[in-house]
Amino acid sequence: MSLNAAPSSDRVHIGIFGRRNAGKSSIINAITGQNLAIVSDIKGTTTDPVLKAMELLPLGPVVMIDTPGLDDTGELGELRIQKAYQILNKTDIAVLIIDGTSGMTDVDTGILKRILKKGIPYVVVLNKSDLAPGSNTDFSERMPAVPSDRIIAVSTVTGENIHELKELIARQAPAENERRIVYDLIKPSDFVVLVVPIDKAAPKGRLILPQQQTIRDVLDSGAISIVTRETELEETLEKLGTPPALVITDSQAFEKVAAAVPLDIPLTSFSILFARYKGNLETVVNGAKALDTLEEGDTILISEGCTHHRQCEDIGTVKLPRWITSHTSKKVNYEFSSGTEFPMDLSKYKLIIHCGGCTLNEREMKYRLQCAQDQNIPITNYGIAIAHMKGILDRSIEIFKGV
């Protein structure tokens, strides 16, 4: 990934919902001007959610999400519908496509009610206006709660109102978030040392997303970014001459880095920075305390937002369980989830340890945190949990006090 490319987690996610053959894929192709989605008269052509990162004017960087039809049938159809509903948890703007020739159905009403309940900005599109002129009025009468300025009739055949639809979607976009990763913690010309271990789990030829984003934010701040491995950290600090304003480490090297960095130099981790960036630092700091109260036979959910090939020393499935066993001296059980597979029922877990969520957008991360809070299950993240178990959490969050 280029340092200049907007990460998917920071893009506006636009979810396209509706019944089979309502024209979801045709709408996507029309508003993007590309053949992103397969179009067919056969019902159920889209069988799984399809995500595509792209530029969509006048919005800018977005992720378009085509979903399966919400009226799918059979056992597989039910699973596809569940997948479509899960997409709501990461949707910033929902676009409900209704077949104007058949009108509003209970299926359409059901998804719209879910959209409204979750407080997602939305647009209702009455498709096939070339075949069903005047369908706006019928819809307004059936769903009076929907403002008329959220409803638009379009035709992908004639191109009617496609430009206006793009403008309408753009008007629903959330206000730009001014959050920054480290901008408010450093000053121009400060030295910032970033500790990046290079091991079997490190992607060959590139840095992982949180490291890329942090480096970019350091540079945007006018500060000086110095990247080193933990094996060269002490030498790097000696050669600098001037103490760095901040040291940021990968969580896996936390203990070694903490021992090498003098106490008068602020120290934190990428994982902790991203917990603050996504607005959940206090929640995950408090959640880490549950590590001290675990009992024999308790079950911990270790969850990752992305899917990747696990190495022999994978942090989620190998290192974290090892550190937890050492910290607690208890035999606990572990379950693992990745990607979109975040359980709805969390009642069996005593603790959830989540990755930093760099690939998840803000809405989905907040959804997962809210699920845990609603069910009174403590939740923390990898970096916070590691810092707590290594006894360096207080030091790692000291820099945020008063900010």
Side-chain angles (χ1 to χ4, degrees):
M1 168 174 165
S2 166
L3 283 173
N4 293 320
S8 290
S9 58
D10 287 345
R11 292 171 179 257
V12 175
H13 285 53
I14 303 173
I16 311 294
F17 302 91
R19 289 175 283 138
R20 292 173 296 169
N21 272 24
K24 299 185 297 298
S25 298
S26 297
I27 293 290
I28 288 179
N29 292 343
I31 64 177
T32 62
Q34 303 177 40
N35 290 322
L36 295 181
I38 298 173
V39 176
S40 170
D41 291 334
I42 300 172
K43 285 188 175 183
T45 302
T46 303
T47 58
D48 289 288
V50 178
L51 285 71
K52 176 67 176 178
M54 60 174 297
E55 298 284 324
L56 180 66
L57 295 177
L59 262 179
V62 302
V63 174
M64 300 294 299
I65 313 174
D66 192 10
T67 64
L70 296 171
D71 59 341
D72 212 335
T73 57
E75 187 174 341
L76 281 177
E78 286 297 320
L79 293 175
R80 291 167 184 161
I81 292 170
Q82 288 178 25
K83 288 281 188 183
Y85 283 144
Q86 284 179 339
I87 292 298
L88 283 174
N89 299 326
K90 65 172 65 185
T91 296
D92 296 308
I93 303 174
V95 180
L96 174 58
I97 311 297
I98 295 175
D99 184 339
T101 63
S102 57
M104 189 80 171
T105 69
D106 289 342
V107 171
D108 301 311
T109 304
I111 186 64
L112 184 56
K113 286 180 178 178
R114 289 189 182 220
I115 291 168
L116 293 171
K117 184 176 180 180
K118 288 179 175 289
I120 302 172
Y122 68 95
V123 170
V124 175
V125 180
L126 303 176
N127 194 22
K128 307 178 185 179
S129 63
D130 53 309
L131 300 177
S135 53
N136 296 52
T137 303
D138 295 338
F139 178 83
S140 297
E141 291 175 354
R142 177 154 186 177
M143 291 294 292
V146 178
S148 58
D149 61 1
R150 297 283 187 94
I151 308 168
I152 187 168
V154 307
S155 169
T156 59
V157 175
T158 67
E160 179 189 3
N161 284 338
I162 295 299
H163 175 77
E164 288 77 8
L165 172 59
K166 291 166 65 174
E167 296 285 340
L168 182 57
I169 292 171
R171 289 199 292 274
Q172 314 311 317
E176 280 204 32
N177 201 323
E178 294 299 323
R179 296 169 303 148
R180 301 290 292 273
I181 300 168
V182 291
Y183 190 91
D184 57 334
L185 304 175
I186 55 180
K187 303 187 300 295
S189 300
D190 276 348
F191 287 146
V192 179
V193 175
L194 301 97
V195 184
V196 178
I198 302 296
D199 55 21
K200 289 182 179 179
K204 189 174 182 179
R206 63 183 178 87
L207 301 177
I208 63 174
L209 183 58
Q211 295 162 0
Q212 293 183 27
Q213 289 182 261
T214 305
I215 290 171
R216 177 57 191 262
D217 202 41
V218 170
L219 297 177
D220 285 343
S221 305
I224 300 164
S225 175
I226 300 162
V227 184
T228 182
R229 298 181 298 181
E230 77 280 16
T231 48
E232 286 77 43
L233 176 58
E234 291 190 39
E235 182 182 358
T236 300
L237 294 175
E238 288 175 7
K239 288 186 174 180
L240 273 180
T242 301
L246 177 62
V247 175
I248 306 167
T249 182
D250 183 277
S251 299
Q252 299 184 64
F254 228 145
E255 189 172 25
K256 185 172 183 178
V257 171
V261 176
L263 291 174
D264 60 341
I265 296 177
L267 168 68
T268 193
S269 74
F270 295 105
S271 191
I272 292 173
L273 284 172
F274 272 77
R276 186 182 78 123
Y277 178 63
K278 292 181 181 291
N280 57 61
L281 182 59
E282 183 178 359
T283 298
V284 292
V285 166
N286 289 332
K289 298 172 185 176
L291 286 161
D292 301 331
T293 60
L294 292 172
E295 300 291 344
E296 293 280 340
D298 284 346
T299 301
I300 297 175
L301 173 65
I302 296 180
S303 184
E304 294 186 342
C306 63
T307 56
H308 64 271
H309 178 68
R310 300 189 187 279
Q311 303 288 330
C312 58
E313 281 293 294
D314 179 68
I315 184 171
T317 57
V318 178
K319 291 182 178 179
L320 269 173
R322 182 193 304 152
W323 288 326
I324 292 169
T325 299
S326 175
H327 178 73
T328 63
S329 299
K330 300 281 181 19
K331 185 177 181 180
V332 298
N333 303 312
Y334 299 95
E335 291 188 6
F336 305 93
S337 72
S338 60
T340 59
E341 302 304 318
F342 188 75
M344 294 183 65
D345 183 4
L346 304 171
S347 58
K348 69 167 79 170
Y349 306 115
K350 292 295 182 180
L351 173 65
I352 300 166
I353 304 180
H354 205 288
C355 70
C358 64
T359 63
L360 302 179
N361 66 344
E362 183 180 2
R363 181 176 287 274
E364 182 164 11
M365 196 67 231
K366 285 185 174 179
Y367 162 77
R368 296 185 179 200
L369 289 163
Q370 194 61 54
C371 282
Q373 291 174 330
D374 289 346
Q375 298 176 57
N376 295 314
I377 309 299
I379 184 169
T380 188
N381 74 18
Y382 287 13
I384 301 284
I386 294 168
H388 178 81
M389 290 187 286
K390 302 299 182 183
I392 50 180
L393 180 55
D394 287 344
R395 179 185 178 187
S396 304
I397 61 175
E398 179 70 30
I399 192 171
F400 306 122
K401 293 180 179 177
V403 175

